[in-house]
Amino acid sequence: MAVTVTLPDGKALELPDGATGADAAAAIGPGLARAALAVAIGASPEDAAEVRDLARTLPDGALLSVITSKSGDQALQLIRHDAAHVLAAAVMDLYEGVKISIGPPIAEGFYYDFEFPPGTVISEADFPKIEERMRAHIKAAERFERQDVPVAEARERFVAEDQDYKVELIDDLVSAASDPARGGDSPLETVSLYTNGPFTDLCRGPHAPSTARVGAFRLSSVAGAYWRGDSTRTMLTRIYGTAFFSKTELAEHLERIEQAKARDHRKLGRELGLFTFSEVSPGAAFWLPAGTGIFNALVRLSRQMGAERGYSEVKTPQIFDSELWKTSGHWGKYRQNMFTVQVEDREMGVKPMNCPGHAHLFGSSRHSYRDLPIRYFEPGLLHRNEASGVLHGLLRVRHFAQDDGHIFCTEEQVEDEVGGCLQMAFDTYALFGFEISIELSTRPEQRVGSDEMWDRAEAKLTRTLEELGLDYELNVGDGAFYGPKIDMHMTDSLGRSWQLGTVQLDYSMPARFELSYTGADNQEHTPVMIHRAMFGSYERFIGIMIEHYAGELPLWLAPVQTIVLPVSDRFNEYAASVRDSLRGEETRIELDDRSESIGRKIRDAELRKVPYMLVVGDREQGEGTVAVREHHGGDQGSVPVQEFAERLDGELYSSALKPRKSSERRV
């Protein structure tokens, strides 16, 4: 009896019964057999493929692709998982009595959590000896061998080895397998174990054929981590690392890390005097005047672009009765991330998003089809009860403001409105020189609404993207619980991908709030709701920008655009008059009238990354001019003050304040 699999090019490959992934790779060619790491199999092109070890047998009729070192993230995930097991093996070699818990691959590498014996404290000083032992396991080319063993046998093994965390994990797997509330429907009979050299771990896999495929690795840091994220449980020691196929790739990665440290928005924000943080309000930025200028410039841009596109700015309360959140569905799905307060005998929630308030606002008035679309915009303050362990500067906060917009429209208007949101996004990102990629996210497993509703919503977004001729990636299962969405991503100067804006199509919330409008037929109809944000949160966007530009923001966003530098104190009065003449609604000008040398003033302005420095002395005062110096550009010569003012205004106007035509879209 034969097994038939379909290859990525559509060709069928016939193999003997019981054939493995390794057999398939060998049948395709000896070169692929040598390069193969694992295989990805799926039941249909729409299904997410399952990655399997080469040694596992293949199901008949599967779609199959062979994973090699050229397979991108799939391949890196494999060898980083391998490296986590190698790390655990090395630690167990070196530290008697250590207990192991879990060690997964993560976005930038891997980690493993350990409980070390009392009195043993691990620091980065221990990394060289751990890495040396890891290299020995890799050099030995230990094969990763999988065994599917009875649950009782695996449990007895880890009990005998005094590995309490593995025993607990097995017990939890058994419980989940029989619990319908956790997706289980039958008793668990076996679990999989993976062995490399002397080390055996409870693991579902997959792994590459041997430890030798880990070409280059580095341990990076050590941290504390509560077992299963529960602060009432044991604090474990988490060792982080990363792995690549070659030393060159590892070196490039480490260089990117050093660049990222130098560009860290928390460091630059402090050095540039933009914002600070305090334990009196964890997860919330204290904006200094220079940072507030950047923040306000973005809000001003949101307002301008919204007004040009028919948005009406609204303002809704910070705290709502829990009944509103129950109506929207957030109380059941998001309550743990909300701050709640008791007001007299009412339970209230501080808003983590604006959409329920905007839905309530729409419902407070009667509307005709002639009124639609109605576009609300609110740069509103939001609060989310994020765990302290995930807070990260401006990128993950508890208090933030979002450029939130919601459109209420008819079914027939949906595609035009979604297209308008995308156009607004392209116009916005063009101001920053960002190249954007697009992702369409479809229905998640946990969702509200009928399949028919999801079919209609997904079709609307797909048709809009295709009619606009936009390339996009499909992100299956990652939509919001109430509807599909289009997300926009940019890749920064260090090659990191960031999600920026989103456009979400929502049939659910208008129905839950019983919103309606009177149609041309004089009947009541339910509007469609579109959620959109261009920046996401202003805080996060500013953090991304600071790191992307290494603190050297575009002129129109620079916290200080121009600084006037008198050569000595006797020119302070003239310098002040220059500053005053340049001040305007869109300009941020400073005067450095300290009793310091001009060389020191220039150096300090360069460190602050001020785009323009205007030096004034005898000649400039006598002629009514300024000596212009550009950041990184050096001296540009002397010009009349009015000429420089016109130059500054022109650059500001052309870079950010000049409205873009729709034909100037950049994707």
Side-chain angles (χ1 to χ4, degrees), residues 615 619-620 623 625-628 635-641 643:
V615 179
R619 178 182 173 184
E620 289 74 28
E623 297 178 353
T625 61
V626 290
V628 181
D635 294 329
Q636 305 296 308
S638 294
V639 298
V641 175
E643 182 178 326

Side-chain angles (χ1 to χ4, degrees), residues 553-555 558 560-562 605 609-613 629-632:
L553 299 174
L555 175 66
V560 178
Q561 296 158 338
T562 303
K609 308 180 191 298
V610 179
Y612 285 115
M613 290 150 269
R629 183 182 179 90
E630 286 189 19
H631 178 52
H632 289 324

Side-chain angles (χ1 to χ4, degrees), residues 47 390 434 499 531-532 555 557:
D47 288 342
V390 302
F434 292 167
Q499 183 195 321
H531 309 244
R532 71 104 186 111
L555 175 66
L557 271 180

Side-chain angles (χ1 to χ4, degrees), residues 269-270 273-292 295 393-394 397 399 539:
R270 182 176 61 253
L274 304 182
F275 51 81
T276 187
F277 292 91
S278 170
E279 281 305 306
V280 303
S281 184
F286 286 73
W287 290 92
L288 297 166
T292 303
F295 192 101
L394 298 177
V397 290
H399 164 89
E539 284 83 353

Side-chain angles (χ1 to χ4, degrees), residues 325-326 328-338 353 444-448 480-482 512:
W325 302 112
K326 291 174 184 176
S328 70
H330 289 96
W331 198 254
K333 294 183 176 292
Y334 203 77
R335 184 181 179 185
Q336 71 276 11
N337 293 107
M338 294 174 62
M353 67 280 295
E445 287 189 15
Q446 300 297 319
R447 59 184 182 268
V448 296
F481 74 88
Y482 48 77
R512 295 175 74 101

Side-chain angles (χ1 to χ4, degrees), residues 587-636:
T587 54
R588 293 180 289 279
I589 315 295
E590 280 191 8
L591 166 64
D592 185 350
D593 56 3
R594 296 176 299 162
S595 297
E596 298 284 356
S597 69
I598 189 61
R600 174 65 183 271
K601 291 178 180 180
I602 290 173
R603 177 180 174 275
D604 290 347
E606 287 282 359
L607 290 174
R608 294 177 64 191
K609 308 180 191 298
V610 179
Y612 285 115
M613 290 150 269
L614 306 181
V615 179
V616 296
D618 266 324
R619 178 182 173 184
E620 289 74 28
Q621 180 172 275
E623 297 178 353
T625 61
V626 290
V628 181
R629 183 182 179 90
E630 286 189 19
H631 178 52
H632 289 324
D635 294 329
Q636 305 296 308

